[in-house]
Amino acid sequence: MNFIYISPQFPRTNWYFCERLKRNGVNVLGIGDTPYDALPQEVRDAVNEYYYLDSLEDYDKVFRAVAFFSFKYGKIDWIESNNEYWLELDARLRSDFNVTTGVKLHDVRAIKSKALMKAQYRAAGIPSARQERVRDKAQCMAFIARVGFPVIVKPEIGVGATDTWRLNSESDVDDFFVEKPDEPYVIEEFVDGNIYSYDAIIDSKGEPLFESTTVWPPSIMDIVIEGLDLAYYVSAGMPEELRRYGRAAVKAFRAERRFVHLEFFRLSRDHEGLGKKGAFVGLEVNMRPAGGYTPDMMNYAHSIDVYQIWADMVSFDERRVPPASEEHCCVYAGRRDGVSYCHSEQEIFDRYGGDIMMCERLPEMMVPQMGSKMYTARVSDDDDAHEFIDFVETRA
């Protein structure tokens, strides 16, 4: 099997996917924008061959790299990046090289467009917030008259909270139209609740080989704008309604042979038209793993190897990793440079040293969302996770 992996060197732990594939006997061919000599040794060892490009944004160059591998090794069986940013690139390459194991270009818009997601949610019987495409101020104000302030406006196709606005008044609407980037936007009613994700590795029949849930803060946008500290955790268990909705969404979106990250609101109050407090509401569908170090946190929480489960899905279309021996909760807490906290790093290690799984500074591009430095710990349950977050992030 010939597997082309786009950007095996970034994010930092992406090479684990490649290493597990190579361990299974797959011919792993990397294409990335880091010079070979600058690659960490583990990335070099995880691929059979690496093709350097000065930019992955130039499709002609990426096309030629894939064509080179195709000429050298024969038919390409898989092309994947496991990265939201490169989903369309992956899909275009699959279409051009007739790679059938993944979404083709003509289908990718339906899984990237926040507007087109709504039809699939309805098909799956999953409630979701009311939404319209943004046209002009009059249409936005008419929408707001129906749903009330605040509302969220965000790019119809975008990654994370980039260029997302929360509008609390008509003057905010005016400011938005003055500063709005020249791209399609959607306007959506505000939903009050935490974000729960259904994370799963799906086989060729659309059945989950692995399932997990992560609890996120209500708004990454507020963290970026207000300079707050990010904290989230992989839970030891999964609410049954979330499991049911997650599996239904997988079927509706025809997610197959993928690692998926599906986001839902859990209502913190009764919401007319959506449900009672505690109910789940569809937010966004992402056909890739959760970002950052979340896959590693899944490993720590569930005492398993999600990279190997994914590689076995690719190689054998089955799970060969045994069930978890024990379940924990894995929690992430970030800090920002220039901020005073109640507890020093030494105090964190004095109290949690045996439970700390990761502690490192973050790449500059991740700092706005994730902080300057992160501490990740394995604890017993959700209550312990909140206690860890408070200890690490309470500001002086």
Side-chain angles (χ1 to χ4, degrees), residues 3 21 31 38 47 59 71 95 106 118 127 187 218 223 239-240 254 292 308 323 334 343 349 361 379:
F3 191 115
L21 285 173
I31 299 175
V47 298
Y59 183 75
F71 174 78
S95 294
H106 58 82
K118 295 297 180 178
I187 182 169
I223 289 170
E240 282 308 310
R254 294 177 296 165
Q308 190 63 53
H343 298 289
F349 277 93
R361 296 192 63 80
V379 296

Side-chain angles (χ1 to χ4, degrees), residues 373-394:
K373 191 168 186 177
M374 65 87 151
Y375 303 83
T376 299
R378 182 165 60 188
V379 296
S380 296
D381 53 33
D382 293 11
D383 290 339
D384 287 346
H386 288 288
E387 184 179 285
F388 176 79
I389 292 166
D390 290 341
F391 193 86
V392 173
E393 293 190 345
T394 297

Side-chain angles (χ1 to χ4, degrees), residues 330-374:
C330 190
V331 54
Y332 173 106
R335 285 184 165 188
R336 296 187 181 276
D337 290 345
V339 175
S340 296
Y341 295 91
C342 289
H343 298 289
S344 68
E345 181 171 286
Q346 186 59 54
E347 289 174 310
I348 294 172
F349 277 93
D350 287 345
R351 180 165 177 172
Y352 291 101
D355 299 320
I356 299 291
M357 301 290 105
M358 292 185 285
C359 174
E360 60 183 71
R361 296 192 63 80
L362 293 161
E364 193 63 34
M365 67 177 298
M366 293 183 176
V367 168
Q369 296 85 8
M370 302 190 72
S372 307
K373 191 168 186 177
M374 65 87 151

Side-chain angles (χ1 to χ4, degrees), residues 108-125:
V108 75
R109 185 170 177 80
I111 62 173
K112 292 192 69 177
S113 165
K114 295 175 177 65
L116 295 180
M117 287 179 188
K118 295 297 180 178
Q120 278 92 340
Y121 278 135
R122 286 193 296 271

Side-chain angles (χ1 to χ4, degrees), residues 55-70:
S55 172
L56 295 175
E57 303 281 359
D58 187 328
Y59 183 75
D60 287 342
K61 290 182 178 179
V62 182
F63 180 94
R64 288 196 292 272
V66 175
F68 169 78
F69 281 144
S70 180

Side-chain angles (χ1 to χ4, degrees), residues 1-74:
M1 178 187 292
N2 294 317
F3 191 115
I4 290 181
Y5 203 102
I6 305 295
S7 188
Q9 82 289 357
F10 186 85
R12 185 181 65 78
T13 57
N14 234 12
W15 68 272
Y16 286 125
F17 290 111
C18 299
E19 192 275 339
R20 302 306 193 271
L21 285 173
K22 191 176 180 183
R23 182 189 297 176
N24 282 357
V26 174
N27 188 36
V28 184
L29 309 168
I31 299 175
D33 54 7
T34 298
Y36 183 81
D37 290 344
L39 292 176
Q41 188 61 47
E42 58 263 26
V43 179
R44 302 186 200 184
D45 293 341
V47 298
N48 295 86
E49 188 170 348
Y50 179 81
Y51 194 113
Y52 164 66
L53 297 172
D54 57 6
S55 172
L56 295 175
E57 303 281 359
D58 187 328
Y59 183 75
D60 287 342
K61 290 182 178 179
V62 182
F63 180 94
R64 288 196 292 272
V66 175
F68 169 78
F69 281 144
S70 180
F71 174 78
K72 184 173 182 179
Y73 294 103

